[in-house]
Amino acid sequence: MTGLRQQHRQRVHEAISEAAISLFLERGFDEVPVTEVAAAARVSKPTLFKYFPTKEDLVLHRIADHQGEAARVVRGRAAGETPLEALRRHFLDGLARHEPVTGLNDHPAVVAYYRLVFSTPSLATRVFQYMAVDESALAEALAESTDRLTAELMAAQAMATQRVLARRSWEALAAGRPIAEVEPEAVRAAELAFSLLGAGTT
């Protein structure tokens, strides 16, 4: 029964999210009331808020799913691998898989999703709040192998680096450039960016 309930919750969660993002992409985030999202997903407004505490969460849960990822990568790195090497490897692996979070994904729905996020002030603000939480978590992980100041500085630089890289790739794809052309540039940019981070996380 527990498994069935979990499956039901997941289906409802996905139905609400899909209905919300579809409406937001069609008419704009600020133009669609939560009551309309609930109606489209065939749930009540209280039920919607049980799954998504705020209107912004209807969109940003896809990004929130990656919260703490950098810290987990650092803590789960292989023996002998430095934190910087682990973060670099993880980001490059994401590029190779065309993970949406890296910005290197040309599926129309993904490109449109990020356009919605970046063009809506309240959503963009929440993204930066998520990043601040991620930065703090990464600093905690880095502080396990270096001093606190170095950990905080390197966490800030690493998160900013990934944000800039992802935004550059998305902007190139959103401008209509083919992914086959953008991908090698994204890889070179990532290699350069992580080399510029220096030895602070070793």
Side-chain angles (χ1 to χ4, degrees):
M1 289 301 294
T2 300
L4 291 174
R5 282 195 295 268
Q6 183 59 36
Q7 290 176 21
H8 173 72
R9 285 184 57 82
Q10 186 61 33
R11 284 196 297 270
V12 174
H13 184 277
E14 291 175 0
I16 295 171
S17 174
E18 291 300 323
I21 292 175
S22 177
L23 288 169
F24 296 153
L25 288 175
E26 179 183 342
R27 289 175 24 219
F29 180 80
D30 295 323
E31 303 305 316
V32 180
V34 171
T35 51
E36 189 171 341
V37 174
R42 298 183 179 180
V43 299
S44 66
K45 186 176 176 181
T47 295
L48 182 149
F49 281 122
K50 281 199 291 188
Y51 285 86
F52 299 95
T54 71
K55 185 179 180 182
E56 286 76 16
D57 290 328
L58 288 163
V59 177
L60 297 179
H61 74 91
R62 293 181 177 179
I63 294 174
D65 287 345
H66 291 274
Q67 284 225 273
E69 191 166 270
R72 290 192 294 273
V73 168
V74 167
R75 288 196 171 104
R77 67 188 185 278
E81 187 177 38
T82 69
L84 179 60
E85 289 168 345
L87 291 170
R88 171 188 169 280
R89 170 182 51 75
H90 183 72
F91 192 84
L92 288 171
D93 286 348
L95 289 177
R97 294 192 304 271
H98 296 173
E99 289 281 353
V101 73
T102 68
L104 190 67
N105 186 301
D106 64 346
H107 191 287
V110 174
V111 175
Y113 172 83
Y114 278 107
R115 183 178 288 111
L116 171 68
V117 170
F118 293 138
S119 66
T120 306
S122 61
L123 294 175
T125 297
R126 280 290 294 278
V127 169
F128 278 101
Q129 292 173 352
Y130 285 141
M131 290 184 63
V133 173
D134 271 350
E135 182 183 314
S136 179
L138 178 56
E140 290 292 334
L142 292 170
E144 296 170 7
S145 58
T146 190
D147 66 275
R148 185 71 196 188
L149 176 59
T150 298
E152 291 178 353
L153 291 171
M154 293 310 302
Q157 293 176 47
M159 295 308 300
T161 292
Q162 294 186 48
R163 174 179 58 81
V164 170
L165 292 172
R167 183 68 183 253
R168 280 174 56 88
S169 293
W170 172 79
E171 287 178 342
L173 295 173
R177 293 181 60 199
I179 195 168
E181 181 181 290
V182 175
E183 183 168 1
E185 294 179 5
V187 172
R188 287 194 297 270
E191 294 281 15
L192 172 63
F194 281 98
S195 70
L196 291 176
L197 286 177
T201 55
T202 58

